[in-house]
Amino acid sequence: MTDSVAWMSIREAVKVTGRSRMTIWRWAEAGYVRSMKPGSRVILCRSDVTETEQAIFDGGTPEKRT
């Protein structure tokens, strides 16, 4: 795990964005949000979640992450 990147759970992403769990999963599957699976849970890059939400809110297309 990279120390310079803050991570959040899917539950936290749902609370922050107001989107459904399925939407957050779709963002990760589409490559808009970087994710990791340490053990049995999935965590998401916090900045990717907020940037994706902002891009969609602004009517744009989110940037794909690698």
Side-chain angles (χ1 to χ4, degrees), residues 6-50:
W7 299 89
M8 66 192 321
S9 69
I10 291 177
R11 180 176 288 161
E12 289 174 295
V14 168
K15 286 181 183 179
V16 168
T17 64
R19 306 285 179 153
S20 71
R21 290 178 67 85
M22 200 65 204
T23 297
I24 303 299
W25 274 109
R26 287 184 188 123
W27 290 355
E29 288 292 316
Y32 299 140
V33 177
R34 289 174 286 177
S35 63
M36 291 188 353
K37 189 172 181 184
S40 62
R41 13 178 295 167
V42 174
I43 56 175
L44 309 168
C45 177
R46 184 177 300 276
S47 62
D48 291 354
V49 170
T50 56

